[in-house]
């Protein structure tokens, strides 16, 4: 297993992170409001309303993953957003390390008892990962997919 580390996002990271989504479908799961190809400017725009932008690095400092938090209300809840994992690190523990890191940040830095997220019903690998990490469904909302067809946004929550 790769040895991962976390650190705050640096402006120099944006080019690498924007290249992680390989097609519009992947970007939709990672950043539904994004337009493929993802650009550093889109990430900068999203950061205006985000907290704790965090990069996960692998041995040698290569960026393996990125995420942030939003809509945080102290002593209530926070939402996990923009979970982006480099193709070469998928299925290698980077996602789990990233999510656990963000759970810790939400609890320790933002003082919230719950971390929430929304995952599309068609993103089976992510749904299974979130369940493995203790997230449980608590609501469902209707979303439109890239093709305009109906999707279910499954709202999940973990107690911190």
């Amino acid at each position: 297993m790769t040895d991962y580390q976390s650190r705050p996002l640096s402006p120099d990271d944006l080019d690498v992170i924007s290249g992680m989504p390989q097609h519009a479908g992947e970007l939709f799961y990672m950043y539904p409001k994004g337009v493929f190809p993802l650009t550093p400017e889109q990430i900068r725009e999203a950061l205006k309303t985000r907290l704790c932008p965090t990069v996960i690095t692998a041995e040698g400092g290569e960026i393996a993953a990125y995420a942030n938090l939003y809509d945080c209300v102290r002593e209530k809840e926070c939402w996990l957003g923009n979970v982006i994992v480099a193709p070469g690190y998928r299925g290698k523990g980077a996602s789990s390390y990233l999510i656990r890191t963000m759970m810790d940040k939400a609890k320790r830095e933002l003082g919230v008892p719950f971390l929430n997220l929304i995952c599309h019903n068609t993103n089976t690998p992510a749904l299974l990962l979130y369940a493995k990490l203790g997230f449980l469904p608590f609501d469902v909302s209707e979303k439109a997919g890239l093709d305009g067809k109906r999707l279910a946004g499954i709202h999940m929550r973990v107690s911190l």
Side-chain angles (χ1 to χ4, degrees):
M1 174 166 258
T2 302
D3 183 30
Y4 296 107
Q5 302 291 322
S6 69
R7 64 171 172 77
L9 175 72
S10 162
D12 295 338
D13 300 330
L14 298 180
D15 283 333
V16 173
I17 293 167
S18 65
M20 290 180 182
Q22 301 296 291
H23 53 77
E26 280 186 5
L27 179 60
F28 181 71
Y29 286 151
M30 300 168 180
Y31 180 26
K33 293 179 182 175
V35 176
F36 189 81
L38 183 61
T39 63
E41 183 52 43
Q42 289 181 72
I43 299 170
R44 277 192 286 278
E45 187 63 29
L47 286 171
K48 292 177 181 177
T49 60
R50 304 296 169 127
L51 299 169
C52 301
T54 302
V55 168
I56 302 303
T57 58
E59 296 166 15
E62 185 176 17
I63 297 173
Y66 166 76
N68 54 53
L69 301 170
Y70 67 99
D71 289 352
C72 299
V73 179
R74 186 170 267 296
E75 298 182 10
K76 188 175 180 203
E77 65 186 11
C78 207
W79 291 80
L80 177 65
N82 303 133
V83 175
I84 302 175
V85 180
Y89 290 97
R90 295 175 192 165
K92 296 182 179 175
S95 298
S96 295
Y97 188 89
L98 174 65
I99 303 307
R100 286 188 181 105
T101 298
M102 300 312 288
M103 290 166 65
D104 187 62
K105 286 181 175 290
K107 179 179 181 177
R108 296 187 194 284
E109 294 180 27
L110 301 172
V112 296
F114 298 103
L115 180 60
N116 304 328
L117 59 85
I118 299 175
C119 187
H120 299 105
N121 65 293
T122 53
N123 192 351
T124 303
L127 287 168
L128 294 173
L129 171 65
Y130 294 135
K132 180 180 174 185
L133 294 174
F135 285 83
L136 297 172
F138 71 92
D139 198 7
V140 176
S141 58
E142 185 172 326
K143 307 284 182 188
L146 287 176
D147 59 3
K149 292 183 181 178
R150 294 170 50 186
L151 291 177
I154 300 172
H155 300 229
M156 301 179 83
R157 170 180 288 161
V158 67
S159 177
L160 305 173

